[in-house]
Amino acid sequence: MRLNRIVLSTVLVVIAMVAQVSVLARLHLPGAVPDLLLLTVLGLAIAYGHVGGCLIGFGAGLLADLAPPADHAVGRYALVLCVIGYLAGLAKPESGQLRTAAGPMLVVIGAAVGTTLLYAGVGSLVGDTAGAHVGLPKLVFTATIYDLLLAPFVVPLVMALARRFDHDPLTEDPTGGFGGSALRTRPTRTRTGSGISPQRGLFGRAKTMASMPRGARR
């Protein structure tokens, strides 16, 4: 990943984590806690692709595993978000631009359900039963509802910031510009009665070829 992507992803993940722990977790909503961190990872994964989504998901999940008041095994959420980030990155459009909002919303629904199920599955494998008292069906339902309510405000904003601070190589033309279609053309020479008239070259300079008879040039 490029430096600008790493810096932007780190800043957004830290902000999402702080907001989730200090604000959303204190609302004491029934069932699951709105997962602002997951939505941030989804927005970055759709913007950067599956490789970036996998790396960002792992880093964000590890931060959630280590940040207080985490009460589960370290690495549990990192594994889950790594898988979810990779799968969400596969939904990146080839053109780099989304045509409708239906795609990201379907990704959010699948990620909310998949994250909850994977988190519970990994917990059962390692013997970590934190949160099992709530009930899996209730967790899946409430997590999906909360994430869908937050998604229209979070995912488009994250994707817009990702596009703002990153030049998409799909829009870069061979001349070094972005989105431009101007190609560098060679200057043309027009023949006059006894020679060649001076033409403008690069940077506006006139060529210093004198108009002289053809036979006089060596």
Side-chain angles (χ1 to χ4, degrees):
M1 292 181 66
R2 287 178 287 184
L3 181 61
N4 57 342
R5 292 187 175 186
I6 296 175
V7 172
L8 178 63
S9 301
T10 302
V11 171
L12 292 179
V13 165
V14 170
I15 292 175
M17 187 65 201
V18 172
Q20 181 169 324
V21 172
S22 61
V23 178
L24 297 179
R26 298 178 182 272
L27 297 178
H28 301 291
L29 298 173
V33 176
D35 202 338
L36 185 61
L37 189 63
L38 171 63
L39 297 177
T40 303
V41 171
L42 293 180
L44 293 172
I46 297 175
Y48 293 153
H50 58 282
V51 176
C54 178
L55 296 175
I56 295 170
F58 178 80
L62 187 61
L63 177 63
D65 290 332
L66 298 175
D71 57 351
H72 55 268
V74 176
R76 180 177 175 183
Y77 203 46
L79 175 61
V80 172
L81 282 190
C82 180
V83 175
I84 295 298
Y86 177 86
L87 295 177
L90 297 176
K92 178 185 178 181
E94 295 183 358
S95 62
Q97 298 292 333
L98 294 173
R99 297 184 180 275
T100 63
M105 291 302 103
L106 291 177
V107 172
V108 170
I109 295 175
V113 175
T115 300
T116 307
L117 295 178
L118 279 175
Y119 187 80
V122 173
S124 63
L125 290 176
V126 300
D128 186 359
T129 59
H133 60 281
V134 180
L136 187 58
K138 183 179 180 180
L139 282 176
V140 171
F141 177 76
T142 54
T144 304
I145 295 299
Y146 296 153
D147 291 346
L148 273 178
L149 292 176
L150 281 178
F153 305 98
V154 178
V155 176
L157 177 61
V158 172
M159 295 179 64
L161 289 174
R163 289 194 300 266
R164 175 64 179 82
F165 289 94
D166 184 52
H167 290 298
D168 193 344
L170 291 176
T171 62
E172 184 175 358
D173 59 41
T175 62
F178 292 89
S181 58
L183 297 178
R184 185 174 297 175
T185 57
R186 299 178 62 184
T188 58
R189 299 179 180 179
T190 58
R191 296 184 179 274
T192 58
S194 59
I196 300 176
S197 61
Q199 299 293 324
R200 291 286 178 178
L202 295 178
F203 311 112
R205 295 179 182 175
K207 295 184 177 180
T208 59
M209 179 179 290
S211 297
M212 56 191 312
R214 182 187 294 265
R217 279 182 276 164
R218 296 294 180 183

